Amino acid sequence: MSFVGRSVTRLEDRPLVTGRGAFAADIAFPRMLHMRVVRSAHAHGRIMSIDASAALAMAGVVAVWTSADVSEIPPIDFRLTRIEGLAPYRQPILARQRVRYVGEPVAAVFAIDPYVAEDAADLVAVAVEELPVILDAAAPPGEFEDGRSTEPAVVEKSYGDLAAAFRDAAVVVELDLAVGRHSGVPLETRGAIARYDAARDMLELYGAAKVPHWNRASIARMLRRSPASVHLFEGHVGGGFGIRGELYPEDVLVCLAALRLARPVKWIEDRREHLIAANHSRQQRHKVLAAVDAEGRILAIDDEFFHDQGGYVRTHAATVPDLAAAMLPGPYRVPAYRAIGHVRLTNKTPCGTYRAPGRFESTFVRERLMDAIAARLSIDRIDVRRRNLIGKAEMPYGRPLATLGTEVVLDSGDYAGLLDKALAAAKWRDLQDELERRRAGGECVGAGLALFVEKSGLGPFDGVRVAVDTSGVVEVVTGAASLGQGLETVVAQICADALGVDYRRVRVVHGRTDRIPFGMGAFASRATVMTGEATRLAALEVRAKATEVAAELMQQDADALAVVDGKVVCKGAAGPSMTLGEIAAALEPASKLRGTRAPGLSAEGWFYTDHMNYPYGVHIAVAKVDRETGGVTIERYLLAYDVGRAVNPMLIEGQLAGGFAQGVGGALLEEFLYDERGEPLSVNFADYLMPTAREVPALDVLITEDAPSPLNPLGLKGAGEGGVNAVGAAVAAAIDDAVGIPGAIIRLPVTPQRLRAILERGR
């Protein structure tokens, strides 16, 4: 049997499609209290007083906390990309002295039901002396607090002789580009339910957690508890996308309340709260220059950008600007390079990661730059890319850059080969003729393309435990998390092939810190690569153990045996056989057949890596513009992606399609806007526009396996972020082509109002 490489049916869907899913809102315990958060109505101000007397007088209200009640709890720490000097900018679980964005938690109300809690929260009177707001990250820095600037860090990455490159350049191309603020907006808002079991001295937290082991360690440290006395339980998840499952103030508050109030505590976020309080992302402004020779070959890129971090530095620290700076060169040779990223605090919702963080932004910048070079030198936009692509023979291709704690070494790739396949699949030449005919007939249509390199397989480790029970069912326990990406199915397929069983006999347990002591969770497109390889190693060890035991019990040579469909059988000839369940029974602690072997048919598998691997892709968009309204319709879209090796092509296609839909939102619709006082204007779905089935066209997907990664035996690379990465860049290029104005699109999203203004200027 072979399951890796097949589009087998997902294992995790039955409870979801039969209405038996268990999401955060479905979890309840006896005597449970409900928490409601009182949030700042001011973007920036000094807290003068908080009066909770009216709320406390309400029947059913158990407690109201302000920062004075939680003063011993430290701010939430960083998980990734720590930079010296960022610690003072971390967020406390309740605002101290100042509020820094609309939506910041100021007080927490605990009551016997959610309605009482909400009514009581409305009675908490918060007096704030307003302070000047900062809303533009590119403006001069202001004051965060006494002696601290609103520029807590500057990310800089550079190599090569920049001055010489610009001195020798035939042409210098300069652009000023911006990407708007948007976020993941999952179907399910955040939720957290905490319970303290005094009999076991165990604190439990239920809810979505993409990094349960890190969150457990952080909660334990903040509450001064042993990590062994805190456990996290992940349920079903209505979308993750980077913003869900990080550690937020509300998660810590419910845990602390469960301990102090000796009752379970539940908090479910409403949609308005989500849009003003959960992590935002993306917002950057880039002032970028490229030095090129007369044939359009890049000599150097110099980029200065401003990253709008919002009111505090949350768990990701400087991850997003760091990735933007490191990944901007993409698939091209860039002999000299400098990126300076200013991390700036503003009086907006704090930011974190969102699917392809730093790459959606930097791909837009890089590919706009490539189109500008082509237009400036009158070179075909495909030719200018070909001239700059890193060649297949140059792999692995190291850059003197690092991000996420690892050096950037492009492990494998045939970028020109994928470009050729994508152009052929899109019938590019025929498409150009068709568009020319349509434009001659008065239509405003065009095509654009964008190339990119993604990153995946972030280490440093992953581990699983594989065990077979006496019925022959295989259990894989992993510290990875499932956010809807098909983790259970992929891990089961890899385990099934390595062990020699049907993948439907594999049960994957994840998101439970009580079942496995270590885990990295699910982020950075790492789970298939890291968890998959750890699973393969553990399953191979179980197979070897089963074969060894069977050889002794069956009186056969171990080399003459194989595991097929859950049985140890003789290769190529009739003979005795044993099921894996029978072997597991022979290895039970009381079995006389076990001998001196350790009990159980099980093994742990550990996989370590020092480097990420790098999948890559090509996006091609066809867009039509309504000159009167400024509306954009994406008519066709092709997404070509090389994943190294596909475990389940159907799941990859689904991941790419979902990411594409999010990319359409970021390219054309989604944006968090604020008025001059810092009041958010996008607090519901009437103002924060999400793409629907009408705006998202049918997607053509081309999955290739031309460049397996040399960094793991299966050659795997991740697929979670390739669908969103280049959508903004490709759509922008298609709009340029449609309106006949090279370089027209310099800001995302391309809203109708902005496009109408561009068309007016063009006239």
Side-chain angles (χ1 to χ4, degrees):
M1 292 185 298
S2 178
F3 292 103
V4 171
R6 291 169 53 191
S7 294
V8 300
T9 304
R10 283 168 49 116
L11 296 175
E12 49 268 86
D13 289 345
R14 180 171 292 277
L16 299 174
V17 300
T18 56
R20 293 181 173 88
F23 298 89
D26 298 314
I27 298 169
F29 297 106
R31 300 181 63 248
M32 186 169 69
L33 299 175
H34 295 262
M35 182 178 80
R36 185 70 179 173
V37 177
V38 180
R39 300 186 182 276
S40 171
H42 302 274
H44 191 205
R46 188 174 289 107
I47 299 173
M48 306 305 292
S49 65
I50 302 175
D51 183 0
S53 57
L56 286 167
M58 279 189 65
V61 174
V62 174
V64 179
W65 292 351
T66 67
S67 63
D69 299 293
V70 297
S71 58
E72 79 279 15
I73 307 300
I76 297 172
D77 210 351
F78 307 129
R79 182 170 67 83
L80 292 169
T81 320
R82 296 167 178 266
I83 291 179
E84 191 69 30
L86 288 181
Y89 300 90
R90 295 172 298 170
Q91 181 166 6
I93 61 172
L94 289 174
R96 299 173 180 172
Q97 299 176 339
R98 288 193 192 189
V99 291
R100 304 184 186 279
Y101 63 96
V102 173
E104 179 172 1
V106 174
V109 176
F110 304 93
I112 58 173
D113 69 48
Y115 307 103
V116 172
E118 184 159 2
D119 289 344
D122 290 340
L123 296 178
V124 177
V126 182
V128 172
E129 177 191 2
E130 291 197 59
L131 296 171
V133 297
I134 297 175
L135 300 173
D136 183 2
E143 183 182 72
F144 179 77
E145 60 188 16
D146 291 344
R148 299 194 192 281
S149 159
T150 55
E151 182 176 88
V154 176
V155 173
E156 182 168 359
K157 300 185 186 295
S158 62
Y159 63 83
D161 191 339
L162 208 70
F166 278 92
R167 183 188 62 235
D168 298 339
V171 169
V172 173
V173 176
E174 181 175 359
L175 297 176
D176 189 338
L177 303 166
V179 176
R181 168 180 283 251
H182 57 284
S183 186
V185 195
L187 184 66
E188 180 194 18
T189 58
R190 293 179 296 148
I193 303 92
R195 178 176 67 165
Y196 176 60
D197 184 341
R200 297 184 299 131
D201 188 27
M202 187 66 66
L203 176 65
E204 299 173 344
L205 177 64
Y206 295 79
K210 69 177 185 179
V211 284
H213 286 82
W214 186 88
N215 284 351
R216 178 185 70 164
S218 296
I219 290 168
R221 184 172 57 253
M222 293 175 74
L223 301 184
R224 297 180 176 87
R225 294 183 62 82
S226 160
S229 70
V230 179
H231 281 311
L232 269 64
F233 298 87
E234 167 204 314
H236 288 115
V237 180
F241 316 133
I243 74 165
R244 283 284 299 279
E246 291 293 337
L247 191 62
Y248 288 91
E250 297 86 355
D251 305 309
V252 182
L253 283 166
V254 295
C255 288
L256 181 62
L259 290 170
R260 285 188 182 177
L261 304 178
R263 293 173 67 173
V265 180
K266 182 174 186 174
W267 170 75
I268 300 294
E269 182 182 59
D270 67 32
R271 184 59 67 181
R272 183 180 188 278
E273 282 185 294
H274 182 82
L275 292 173
I276 65 173
N279 284 346
H280 292 179
S281 198
R282 301 285 197 230
Q283 190 166 20
Q284 292 180 355
R285 180 180 175 185
H286 290 251
K287 298 179 178 180
V288 62
L289 298 91
V292 297
D293 67 16
E295 296 180 332
R297 292 186 179 86
I298 297 170
L299 304 176
I301 292 177
D302 190 7
D303 181 36
E304 182 178 26
F305 67 95
F306 302 88
H307 174 78
D308 190 329
Q309 176 58 35
Y312 292 97
V313 181
R314 283 184 170 168
T315 54
H316 297 91
T319 294
V320 177
D322 191 79
L323 280 165
M327 299 293 287
L328 190 145
Y332 306 116
R333 293 185 205 88
V334 182
Y337 178 67
R338 179 174 65 182
I340 300 174
H342 300 271
V343 181
R344 297 276 177 84
L345 297 181
T346 60
N347 296 117
K348 305 175 187 175
T349 303
C351 286
T353 59
Y354 170 33
R355 206 171 193 171
R359 282 96 71 201
F360 181 89
E361 303 94 307
S362 61
T363 293
F364 175 68
V365 172
R366 178 187 63 254
E367 295 300 302
R368 291 279 72 199
L369 200 57
M370 298 305 293
D371 285 336
I373 292 168
R376 180 74 173 273
L377 295 175
S378 299
I379 301 173
D380 181 83
R381 50 189 163 163
I382 294 172
D383 289 344
V384 78
R385 287 172 166 83
R386 286 192 196 281
R387 293 173 192 181
N388 287 284
L389 285 174
I390 298 164
K392 179 180 179 180
E394 298 175 78
M395 297 293 176
Y397 188 90
R399 296 196 196 275
L401 300 170
T403 188
L404 296 179
T406 67
E407 296 174 340
V408 176
V409 180
L410 306 179
D411 56 325
S412 62
D414 183 2
Y415 303 149
L418 185 63
L419 175 59
D420 289 339
K421 289 184 176 182
L423 294 172
K427 300 180 180 178
W428 181 260
R429 290 183 179 176
D430 293 343
L431 174 62
Q432 298 308 303
D433 293 340
E434 175 195 334
L435 293 175
E436 198 61 45
R437 288 194 300 272
R438 292 177 64 185
R439 282 193 286 260
E443 291 187 79
C444 191
V445 291
L449 80 163
L451 281 66
F452 67 97
V453 172
E454 255 301 340
K455 61 106 192 85
S456 69
L458 178 66
F461 77 91
D462 222 321
V464 307
R465 183 176 183 272
V466 173
V468 182
D469 69 17
T470 56
S471 72
V473 170
V474 183
E475 182 180 74
V476 181
V477 182
T478 169
S482 177
L483 302 171
Q485 75 273 45
L487 174 81
E488 294 96 324
T489 303
V490 166
V491 168
Q493 287 178 258
I494 293 172
C495 179
D497 271 12
L499 183 52
V501 299
D502 190 311
Y503 87 108
R504 288 163 291 198
R505 298 281 285 171
V506 180
R507 177 173 178 265
V508 180
V509 178
H510 57 83
R512 291 189 54 167
T513 62
D514 63 334
R515 291 295 310 274
I516 189 169
F518 306 103
M520 291 288 289
F523 63 99
S525 294
R526 68 180 309 278
T528 297
V529 176
M530 298 299 297
T531 309
E533 179 57 19
T535 299
R536 190 187 71 87
L537 293 172
L540 287 176
E541 190 169 334
V542 170
R543 185 176 73 180
K545 188 173 184 179
T547 304
E548 176 193 329
V549 173
E552 181 178 312
L553 297 178
M554 293 160 53
Q555 298 184 344
Q556 299 286 324
D557 185 346
D559 291 338
L561 300 178
V563 182
V564 179
D565 197 16
K567 295 179 181 179
V568 180
V569 300
C570 296
K571 296 177 183 176
S577 67
M578 290 186 73
T579 67
L580 291 177
E582 290 170 332
I583 297 169
L587 290 173
E588 287 196 311
S591 171
K592 294 180 180 180
L593 300 175
R594 178 172 61 84
T596 60
R597 295 183 182 87
L601 183 53
S602 64
E604 290 186 350
W606 293 91
F607 181 55
Y608 301 89
T609 185
D610 294 325
H611 292 283
M612 293 187 287
N613 55 32
Y614 296 87
Y616 54 96
V618 178
H619 287 203
I620 296 176
V622 178
K624 181 177 181 179
V625 173
D626 185 319
R627 292 190 181 92
E628 296 302 315
T629 66
V632 176
T633 300
I634 303 174
E635 294 187 338
R636 292 166 53 190
Y637 206 95
L638 172 79
L639 201 163
Y641 194 65
D642 194 290
V643 73
R645 185 178 181 190
V647 176
N648 188 315
M650 176 184 68
L651 293 184
I652 294 172
E653 186 168 343
Q655 285 283 292
L656 296 175
F660 165 62
Q662 291 178 310
V664 170
L668 298 177
L669 298 166
E670 298 179 50
E671 187 172 27
F672 290 109
L673 298 173
Y674 294 79
D675 69 13
E676 67 279 358
R677 296 178 61 247
E679 183 74 26
L681 303 176
S682 314
V683 297
N684 54 49
F685 287 145
D687 299 312
Y688 187 86
L689 302 181
M690 300 281 287
T692 68
R694 184 182 184 280
E695 288 79 32
V696 180
L699 177 67
D700 294 321
V701 175
L702 173 63
I703 298 169
T704 64
E705 301 173 276
D706 296 332
S709 176
L711 302 182
N712 63 82
L714 289 177
L716 304 175
K717 296 182 180 182
E721 296 167 291
V724 68
N725 186 308
V727 180
V731 170
I735 295 171
D736 274 11
D737 193 40
V739 300
I741 307 173
I745 304 306
I746 60 173
R747 179 178 177 181
L748 297 178
V750 188
T751 63
Q753 297 90 330
R754 289 172 186 156
L755 187 50
R756 283 186 66 191
I758 290 168
L759 292 170
E760 286 296 324
R761 289 195 298 270
R763 292 192 185 102

